[in-house]
Amino acid sequence: MAEQSNREVGKGVQPPPSQVPGAELSREEKLQLRKEKKQQKKKQRRQEEQQPERQQQQEGAPLVQPAPTGAPSPGAAPTPAMAVAPGGKSKAELRAERRAKQEADRALKQTKKGEQSPAALPAKPRLAPSEAQSVVKRLPEHVQVDDPAALKKLAKKLERQQVPLRPDYGAKVSLFSHLHQYSRKVLLTQQMSIPASAIHPAVVRLGLQYSQGLINGSNARCIALLRVFKQVIADYSTPANEELSRDLVNKLKPYISFLNQCRPLSASMGNAIKFLKKEISGLPGSMREEEAKGVLQDTIDKYVREKIVLAAAAISKSAFEKINDGDVILVYGCSSLVSRTLCDAHAKGRAFRVVVVDSRPRLEGRETLHRLVKQGVRCSYVLINAISYVLPEVSKVLLGAHALLANGSVMSRMGTSQIALISKAHNVPVLVCCETYKFCDRVQTDSFVSNELDDPDDLIVPQRGRIPLASWQENKSLRLLNLVYDVTPMELVDLVITDLGMIPCTSVPVVLRVKNVEQ
């Protein structure tokens, strides 16, 4: 019996399982431990929250403590939250005062720092939404002729590059006063002597051909430009302590400025120049000069072959599927791509007739008529003012393009938009042939902002030995406008035939995005 009592006593004094090392806790004991830990954490949070209040009580007058719950006094606050200071301020008001004082101290420190640092720049004022929308992006130099500041900046740039500034000619229509207007009679080389070290002779000759109108058409101008650049690269030699990839790009800048003064660059020429600059910049520094020059010349030949020659062959092949026997096809002006397409279709046995539409002052359609008749194609020739009389017998319209813009609009020879509009009214499909290297990122919805003004004297036509507009500049009320391009909305174009296939105008941004990824 004594042993049993001792065991029972021993059992009574044994510690709980939670305190025995290695003992497993039951589910209830685990829950109890979790509750205890939570209570401890709550106590710690309460103590941390009460610390700033205690400090405030030590700094100022002590707050009136609430009376015990068992014997409340009539003058004491019923709860701690309602405790007030002797001055009559609550805890919330005291906290607000402390925050205001802290913010005032921070502001004082910042002003002191600003006074101590004289180089500190003033903060830019925020623009209202209406003001932010009115900010205009930087425009190209060739469309800011009416801005004296932009013109002065351009003159300094050309002077630094040793390139003459071509003066404007004649009075301009106020709507197009921001564009350059040149005269073919006033040559750029007559303004000042061009040093031989600044401009390559081949570039000077090409610029004069551009300004005199001896080389026309986007493809012809681009091919001539790349051939001249091949000659420039062949004659180039890297100066001492210079890198070819950097010095050659800087060498081309005055050449491009000179050509731009002779005649504004086309979209195709701009894309070709960007491509060439990128290829030059990508040359490794360890490559020898002769090897690098050979690589660049081969790259130019490849660009002409793939982007222009082979692209034209692919477009001609795709357009052949749209030409049927007995068709009457209307063309406008002179497009080397459209002329080749029609000649190839005739050579493959398609029987069709062509209506060549032309317009003054250039009358470029005569060149198209000459090429087609030489190949044996039956043709008719009319001016643009008679187009409404011939459209009822036309089955489709085939047009060329100067550039395809990012919003799907077609930029082409002046009069193209009029032909597309009248064709749409007669339910005649309009097809545009254009290589993808003419696609550009520019967005344009009209022909006013960015265009090209040709020589206004081209509009003067002698009649029976008299020249009615010979003295047009003396008449202050008279202005001659000779626009080169217009913009055709994509709604008037049914299909664009490219070297990538037949696409609608809405697919132009997709092609541009793919080209940017490939480059």
Side-chain angles (χ1 to χ4, degrees), residues 142 166 173 176 179-184 210-211 213 215-218 221 262-267 269 332-334 358-364 384 400-403 410-418 442 444 446-459 480-488:
H142 66 279
R166 192 174 183 182
V173 178
F176 299 93
L179 300 175
H180 285 286
Q181 182 172 270
Y182 302 131
S183 172
R184 290 196 181 89
Y210 282 165
S211 63
I215 300 179
N216 286 316
S218 298
R221 291 170 63 191
C262 294
R263 184 180 175 184
L265 302 178
S266 64
M269 295 167 67
Y332 175 63
C334 181
D358 208 354
S359 65
R360 295 185 183 275
R362 293 196 176 187
L363 298 174
E364 295 176 324
I384 194 170
H402 169 75
V410 179
M411 194 173 189
S412 189
R413 173 66 59 190
M414 174 58 64
T416 304
S417 179
Q418 180 183 353
R442 191 169 76 244
Q444 196 171 330
D446 54 57
S447 308
F448 307 113
V449 176
S450 181
N451 208 322
E452 182 180 342
L453 298 180
D454 210 346
D455 189 354
D457 289 338
D458 292 346
L459 300 177
L480 299 185
L481 178 63
N482 188 7
L483 274 177
V484 179
Y485 303 112
D486 66 8
V487 175
T488 304

Side-chain angles (χ1 to χ4, degrees), residues 286-345:
S286 58
M287 186 178 291
R288 293 184 297 105
E289 180 180 328
E290 293 300 325
E291 184 181 356
K293 289 161 66 174
V295 169
L296 290 176
Q297 290 176 336
D298 293 341
T299 302
I300 292 175
D301 291 336
K302 183 180 178 183
Y303 185 87
V304 173
R305 184 174 64 255
E306 292 181 357
K307 301 295 183 180
I308 301 177
V309 179
L310 295 180
I315 292 171
S316 175
K317 185 177 180 181
S318 299
F320 177 74
E321 301 173 2
K322 294 293 181 181
I323 299 176
N324 303 316
D325 290 334
D327 277 347
V328 178
I329 302 172
L330 185 143
V331 299
Y332 175 63
C334 181
S335 171
S336 59
L337 182 59
V338 172
S339 299
R340 172 176 176 169
T341 300
L342 295 176
C343 291
D344 290 348

